[in-house]
Amino acid sequence: MSSTDSNALSALFDDQVPSKDKHYEFGFALPSPTPSSVVQPMDVDSSGGPLQLLQSPIKQEPTTVPEYPGEKRQRLNDGQVKRKIRKLAAEESRNQNHQGGGVIVGESRFRQLIGLRLLLVCSSAVVMAVCVGLLTDDNVRKDFYKRYKRQYELLLYGAEDYCSRQLDFSNVTRALDAQLVGQRDAIEHVSRVFYDNRHQLYSSLALVGSVGVGKSLMANIIAENFQWRPNVHRFTLSVSPNPDQQYARFQQFVQSLRSAPLEPKCGHNLLIIDGLGSEDIATVNKMDQRMSFVATKDTMPTTAIFVFQGTAFDEIDGNFGVLNGTIERVRLRQLDEGDLERCVHQEAASLGYNVEENPRLLRTVMDSMDVNRYGCKAVLAKLGFYWQQGLGSTGE
């Protein structure tokens, strides 16, 4: 084949069979995040000529070398690493500087521990000596107990000798003289009973007399002015006709006193049992025996006051003669007209009325009452009634 024929074949089939003398270079670029910046590897000439490489009209951004994560963290942490290195170096230097002072601190702490041990040993020796002295010497033991008891009572009750002080009935006697009308003998009798039995674990007395002579008032005055107010206890007999049920209630009441934590065992106790009648004498005897047993067994000094309802004087000797011999009977005398007038003055003063300026009110109240049957019991009610009727502002 001639060279002319070879050139013609080359011109016809140049797009299919490339010549060995022609060299083409293809360039590819990695896709970018945006589709618009994609670089095509080559373009085709639509004119039918041979393949030609065309440059993309899109401007390519300069490529950068990717940065590995470890290199990025190293670059970001360069300042922190330096600071950490400096801190470690400073601490190492500080430890070296104070290495000699640590020995001094350790020695000081060791001396403190030695001193503390010596203090504990000395304290233990003192406590043991005190215990030995308390066990061997009765006087030391008694003195220690007294001192402890005084401090305990001062802390709990506000007085060093609150539980151990002697019974003082003088305040009660003055209050009875000021408030109870016409019963000077009964007041002296009650005071004597308390003083004579102040060293006994148990004593009892019965207040008897007719209506309105002041039996319940006397018991209330004693309770309000008693030396150990927290130790005042009241019990009212029920209206049940069964004496066994009444005594069972009293048994429960006494048990509640025995289970109380502090007060019944400190000082003297006062038990007031009110609302009694002559038909309750057998139950009263049983209650008196029970309280005597409990006070003796529990070392609980107690005085019981049995308050009987109004009874005629001719019934006292016959009915109350069967009371226990240990119960002291205190009789309140019958009141007269003079006692009734003093009752009216005293009750009017408590209400703020002045009967001296209103003698008509005084005479009306006294004329409306039977002192032999009711004593001073209804004086307060009569004063209030006639005052509301208009007698309070009427003079003679």
Side-chain angles (χ1 to χ4, degrees):
M1 180 180 296
S2 61
S3 60
T4 304
D5 296 334
S6 176
N7 292 335
L9 291 176
S10 299
L12 292 175
F13 303 101
D14 192 27
D15 57 344
Q16 296 180 3
V17 183
S19 176
K20 293 182 179 180
D21 296 334
K22 295 182 179 180
H23 299 279
Y24 297 93
E25 292 183 1
F26 298 90
F28 297 91
L30 294 177
S32 63
T34 57
S36 59
S37 62
V38 176
V39 179
Q40 300 294 334
M42 58 182 176
D43 292 334
V44 179
D45 189 2
S46 59
S47 61
L51 284 173
Q52 295 181 359
L53 293 178
L54 300 177
Q55 294 184 352
S56 174
I58 300 175
K59 185 179 181 180
Q60 296 182 356
E61 296 181 358
T63 58
T64 58
V65 180
E67 188 176 27
Y68 294 100
E71 296 178 355
K72 185 176 183 180
R73 284 197 302 268
Q74 183 66 28
R75 181 176 57 81
L76 294 176
N77 295 336
D78 283 343
Q80 297 181 4
V81 171
K82 292 179 180 179
R83 285 194 295 270
K84 290 180 180 180
I85 294 175
R86 291 172 184 173
K87 184 176 180 181
L88 291 175
E91 290 179 356
E92 183 68 21
S93 176
R94 192 181 303 111
N95 293 336
Q96 293 178 358
N97 293 335
H98 295 281
Q99 186 174 5
V103 178
I104 299 176
V105 174
E107 292 179 355
S108 177
R109 182 171 299 178
F110 178 74
R111 294 193 189 98
Q112 292 178 359
L113 292 176
I114 293 297
L116 180 60
R117 291 178 181 177
L118 291 176
L119 179 62
L120 292 176
V121 170
C122 295
S123 302
S124 302
V126 172
V127 172
M128 291 179 63
V130 172
C131 294
V132 172
L134 292 176
L135 293 175
T136 57
D137 193 345
D138 292 339
N139 294 328
V140 175
R141 183 171 61 254
K142 291 179 181 179
D143 183 68
F144 175 78
Y145 176 73
K146 289 180 181 179
R147 291 176 182 273
Y148 172 78
K149 190 175 181 180
R150 285 199 298 266
Q151 293 300 322
Y152 173 79
E153 294 174 7
L154 178 62
L155 178 64
L156 194 61
Y157 302 106
E160 290 186 355
D161 58 344
Y162 179 83
C163 297
S164 58
R165 63 178 61 173
Q166 295 294 326
L167 176 65
D168 185 7
F169 207 71
S170 58
N171 292 333
V172 181
T173 302
R174 286 192 293 268
L176 289 172
D177 289 333
Q179 302 179 42
L180 196 60
V181 176
Q183 301 297 343
R184 181 59 193 171
D185 294 340
I187 294 173
E188 292 179 354
H189 192 177
V190 171
S191 301
R192 186 168 60 253
V193 171
F194 272 90
Y195 277 118
D196 292 345
N197 298 277
R198 63 183 181 274
H199 299 300
Q200 304 295 325
L201 288 176
Y202 180 74
S203 60
S204 58
L205 55 93
L207 303 181
V208 297
S210 60
V211 177
V213 296
K215 302 182 296 296
S216 296
L217 179 60
M218 173 179 278
N220 292 333
I221 295 173
I222 294 174
E224 292 173 358
N225 297 272
F226 194 63
Q227 191 171 352
W228 294 274
R229 289 293 300 276
N231 293 9
V232 177
H233 314 283
R234 295 177 181 270
F235 179 80
T236 302
L237 208 63
S238 63
V239 296
S240 174
N242 190 342
D244 294 335
Q245 294 181 358
Q246 295 176 343
Y247 184 70
R249 287 185 59 249
F250 180 76
Q251 286 273 55
Q252 296 176 357
F253 173 76
V254 173
Q255 186 60 34
S256 66
L257 294 182
R258 301 181 70 181
S259 60
L262 295 175
E263 283 77 8
K265 306 296 178 63
C266 177
H268 203 89
N269 295 273
L270 178 65
L271 175 61
I272 299 177
I273 304 174
D274 204 348
L276 302 173
S278 57
E279 67 278 2
D280 300 319
I281 291 179
T283 304
V284 169
N285 289 335
K286 294 174 63 177
M287 291 189 294
D288 180 68
Q289 294 175 358
R290 179 60 179 171
M291 282 304 306
S292 177
F293 172 79
V294 171
T296 304
K297 182 178 180 180
D298 296 352
T299 315
M300 189 172 66
T302 305
T303 298
I305 300 178
F306 299 98
V307 183
F308 287 87
Q309 296 177 351
T311 306
F313 273 93
D314 56 355
E315 300 178 2
I316 293 177
D317 293 332
N319 294 336
F320 293 93
V322 295
L323 280 172
N324 289 341
T326 57
I327 302 177
E328 188 76 18
R329 285 172 287 274
V330 179
R331 298 186 183 184
L332 279 74
R333 72 174 186 87
Q334 186 77 34
L335 300 181
D336 54 22
E337 291 294 329
D339 299 325
L340 178 61
E341 183 175 353
R342 286 194 293 273
C343 285
V344 174
H345 280 273
Q346 183 172 304
E347 296 293 349
S350 65
L351 294 175
Y353 304 158
N354 189 355
V355 293
E356 295 291 342
E357 299 178 358
N358 194 344
R360 181 183 177 186
L361 176 63
L362 175 63
R363 186 171 60 252
T364 302
V365 172
M366 293 187 62
D367 291 344
S368 64
M369 296 185 60
D370 185 357
V371 66
N372 294 323
R373 295 183 59 185
Y374 303 108
C376 294
K377 200 171 188 68
V379 169
L380 188 62
K382 294 282 187 179
L383 281 171
F385 175 76
Y386 288 115
W387 186 274
Q388 292 181 355
Q389 296 297 320
L391 297 178
S393 58
T394 303
E396 189 176 33

